Amino acid sequence: MRYFAGTNFRMSRYPLSHAVVLGGSIAGLFAARVLSDHFAHVTIIERDGPFPAPEPRKGVPQGNHVHVLLARGRMIADALLPGLSDELLTLGAVQLNAGRDFAWHYAGGWRAQHDDGLVFLSMSRPLLESQIAKRIRALANVTVLNDVRIAGPLSGGSRITGVRVTQTGRSAQASEVEADLVVDATGRGSATPQWLAELGFPEPPRDLVGARVAYTSCTFHRGRDRSNHRALLVSGKPSRRNGVIFPIEGDRWLVGLQGFFDDPMPRDREDFQAYARSLAVPDLYEMIRDCEPLSEVKQYRFAGSLRHRYEQLSRLPEGLIVLGDAVCSFNPVYGQGMTVSALEAEILGGMLVRAKAEGGLSPDFARRWFKSIEPVIDAAWTGVLVEDFWLPELAEQRPLHLRPMQWYMDHVQRATHRSALATNQFYRVINFLDPPAKLFGPRMIAEVILAGFGGSGGNSASQKTPLRQPIHTSRAD
Ligand SMILES: Cc1cc2nc3c(=O)[nH]c(=O)nc-3n(C[C@H](O)[C@H](O)[C@H](O)COP(=O)(O)OP(=O)(O)OC[C@H]3O[C@@H](n4cnc5c(N)ncnc54)[C@H](O)[C@@H]3O)c2cc1C
């Protein structure tokens, strides 16, 4: 590992010289992009090899499964990497209008649909990540070290000064990489809590919401028919089974089935069809019934949402921050993780602008970092709590203060069955375009009350446009 020996990134005209990002997945890549504006050099350390093709990789086993980049996440990605969406479309991603091309059956009803102008891109996770990685690699002051594993922190007193690394698969001696800032983006398995304990710092308290979810996914041939530019999601109580179908590059459908706790999941293609048929509505099954499967059935088990409360620590080392799933990994059925990573990158950018103006990173940068990202994580975390605590297995752990919120959100959900306005507002909030407070605004409350009285929601848009063409009546076959 001579690469590191004697490397000196210090350049006097930059107050900030070298940042090291641990983990080169979505959170690490977004962070590296932002850091590259403020540090003379950024090094990403990733234990997997480089992407030869946009295919699932070992370090990100969730890559086989449906990944939705929410609208706000896409907007940030395009701001950080101009032209990214166009590149993804050229590579086969499919643009969908949330209110028109996306049908969502939730808790016994279809959400009202109308053309709301809220667009998102549908593609495989590996396509998204590999294209972002390609753009980051092209940045002049970013180096990506692949096949390199982080072995531990370098520390001096109360400061993290870099990391020790080894080449993956070799027993070579560890090398040292020094840095002014270490950014841990190694995902759910992050070693930072353990490092803190080893260095004599307190470990962050952990919150676990133990809604275990099993994912099973398979790709199918989709064909080039434009009428297949649509997606469908079946979810919500009382059913404990979810199903999702999205068009992805390569003229494929990516179909995901999700079951909670110990629901027996399909292991082969035959079981897969049977499980799809058992969903609350037949639409997804009917879409894939006659399609040719293109992959084996892939599985993933998620052990529950996990949040490390770094913001509650009284003592933190200087020179180390944590982001992405390493701080909080959310129940993936709500599709929030990548967008939260993007929002965190945006916050990091703002903090680095201020740091630069102040002439460098202040000693309490890490403490301020965890406080700054807390509201974003809170917003996503609350969404997880409201939904997951409906599960009877978690009933005894349900916090009392959550009940009024669950009651109200239940009525919001019902309103979305009747009112396009309610659906649109709901979509804007879950896409991080509007703050959650918008769900409690006067117009939304009016929709909720009307839905409670069995009214139509009084929404002319929803009356003019057919709310939803049942997917099976518009099938291309
Ligand atoms: C089944 C599933 C479905 C999901 N669906 C969605 C979705 O629809 N929408 C959404 O926004 N999010 C979704 N997520 C969440 C999303 O995958 C993550 O939030 C997102 O990848 C950001 O995670 P991350 O970059 O922090 O960590 P990860 O993606 O886990 O990446 C961590 C990286 O660190 C590397 N690494 C780890 N340890 C080391 C080490 N010691 N040395 C070197 N490198 C190391 C790994 O190889 C990897 O590249 C889903 C998650 C799962 C599990």
Side-chain angles (χ1 to χ4, degrees):
M1 293 267 248
R2 269 183 302 120
Y3 177 84
F4 305 116
T7 305
N8 185 355
F9 294 116
R10 294 201 177 276
M11 300 181 194
S12 56
R13 69 196 172 94
Y14 287 97
L16 306 171
S17 36
H18 186 211
V20 168
V21 179
L22 315 182
S25 174
I26 296 288
L29 292 168
F30 282 147
R33 167 63 194 83
V34 165
L35 292 161
S36 73
D37 285 341
H38 303 280
F39 283 78
H41 204 96
V42 179
T43 305
I44 300 175
I45 300 176
E46 169 55 51
R47 67 183 170 194
D48 275 357
F51 266 113
E55 280 170 9
R57 61 187 176 90
K58 200 173 158 202
V60 182
Q62 69 267 38
N64 287 301
H65 304 277
V66 166
H67 267 69
V68 179
L69 180 62
L70 300 171
R72 181 76 182 276
R74 185 179 62 82
M75 286 162 69
I76 297 172
D78 271 334
L80 294 176
L81 302 165
L84 180 71
S85 283
D86 291 339
E87 292 165 10
L88 292 165
L89 285 167
T90 306
L91 292 167
V94 178
Q95 181 163 307
L96 300 175
N97 177 307
R100 192 190 60 212
D101 309 320
F102 174 54
W104 186 349
H105 188 274
Y106 178 90
W110 292 98
R111 297 195 198 281
Q113 286 182 280
H114 78 304
D115 189 341
D116 55 9
L118 201 162
V119 292
F120 65 98
L121 298 187
S122 181
M123 72 205 112
S124 72
R125 151 80 192 233
L127 176 65
L128 174 66
E129 190 189 321
S130 62
Q131 194 58 20
I132 295 175
K134 192 173 164 191
R135 294 286 300 271
I136 300 298
R137 276 178 183 278
L139 297 172
N141 62 340
V142 175
T143 304
V144 185
L145 301 177
N146 286 109
D147 298 310
V148 175
R149 183 181 292 275
I150 298 125
L154 292 176
S155 76
S158 62
R159 190 177 173 77
I160 301 295
T161 56
V163 282
R164 283 181 294 111
V165 297
T166 57
Q167 196 85 37
T168 305
R170 292 190 200 165
S171 54
Q173 239 187 330
S175 305
E176 296 184 349
V177 188
E178 290 182 5
D180 303 284
L181 182 66
V182 173
V183 177
D184 177 4
T186 52
R188 190 175 168 109
S190 157
T192 292
Q194 189 190 325
W195 292 358
L196 293 184
E198 286 166 8
L199 295 171
F201 288 90
E203 276 186 69
R206 289 165 20 131
D207 288 348
L208 175 71
V209 180
R212 290 185 278 117
V213 195
Y215 268 63
T216 303
S217 301
C218 187
T219 53
F220 292 84
H221 181 64
R222 171 167 60 91
R224 298 201 162 177
D225 194 327
R226 264 202 77 83
S227 67
N228 282 337
H229 284 204
R230 61 206 166 98
L232 186 145
L233 169 59
V234 182
S235 70
K237 57 189 185 309
S239 167
R240 298 160 58 84
R241 295 185 162 184
N242 293 353
V244 58
I245 179 163
F246 275 90
I248 62 168
E249 72 279 3
D251 302 319
R252 292 174 292 165
W253 292 117
L254 175 55
V255 182
L257 302 173
Q258 296 126 25
F260 282 92
F261 295 99
D262 300 314
D263 193 9
M265 298 305 291
R267 291 181 175 277
D268 56 32
R269 292 171 179 176
E270 212 169 81
D271 283 358
F272 196 87
Q273 296 273 4
Y275 195 99
R277 200 174 188 171
S278 75
L279 297 174
V281 286
D283 300 53
L284 190 153
Y285 168 68
E286 289 179 8
M287 281 173 78
I288 60 169
R289 180 174 57 186
D290 302 322
C291 290
E292 176 200 351
L294 296 175
S295 73
E296 292 307 316
V297 166
K298 311 276 182 180
Q299 301 207 326
Y300 187 95
R301 289 194 177 270
F302 181 81
S305 302
L306 179 63
R307 180 173 183 180
H308 297 278
R309 311 296 305 233
Y310 285 101
E311 74 282 1
Q312 293 180 5
L313 293 181
S314 54
R315 269 188 332 119
L316 283 158
E318 288 175 44
L320 171 69
I321 62 170
V322 189
L323 46 71
D325 282 18
V327 176
C328 188
S329 84
F330 305 93
N331 183 340
V333 302
Y334 310 119
Q336 305 185 107
M338 298 191 297
T339 297
V340 168
S341 299
L343 285 158
E344 289 171 350
E346 202 177 52
I347 293 169
L348 182 59
M351 287 184 67
L352 290 172
V353 168
R354 284 193 293 281
K356 212 165 184 173
E358 290 162 13
L361 301 175
S362 65
D364 69 344
F365 186 81
R367 191 186 57 76
R368 281 165 46 197
W369 164 253
F370 291 113
K371 288 277 179 213
S372 301
I373 61 172
E374 188 182 0
V376 166
I377 297 176
D378 273 346
W381 187 252
T382 303
V384 170
L385 299 185
V386 166
E387 285 298 312
D388 281 0
F389 276 111
W390 282 117
L391 291 162
E393 287 85 347
L394 302 182
E396 283 182 12
Q397 298 152 42
R398 181 164 66 146
L400 268 181
H401 68 82
L402 204 61
R403 292 179 188 196
M405 172 87 91
Q406 283 188 309
W407 178 89
Y408 182 73
M409 284 310 298
D410 193 38
H411 286 74
V412 168
Q413 303 284 10
R414 285 186 213 188
T416 66
H417 292 162
R418 298 174 164 275
S419 154
L421 189 147
T423 301
N424 188 28
Q425 186 58 75
F426 176 71
Y427 281 177
R428 289 189 60 79
V429 169
I430 64 171
N431 276 277
F432 292 87
L433 295 174
D434 283 344
K438 282 274 186 184
L439 293 175
F440 300 87
R443 294 188 75 182
M444 195 65 178
I445 289 175
E447 295 296 332
V448 164
I449 291 169
L450 281 169
F453 284 115
S456 70
N459 185 284
S460 57
S462 66
Q463 283 156 0
K464 272 187 220 144
T465 30
L467 292 189
R468 170 185 164 268
Q469 298 293 343
I471 288 282
H472 54 274
T473 63
S474 59
R475 284 194 328 153
D477 56 0

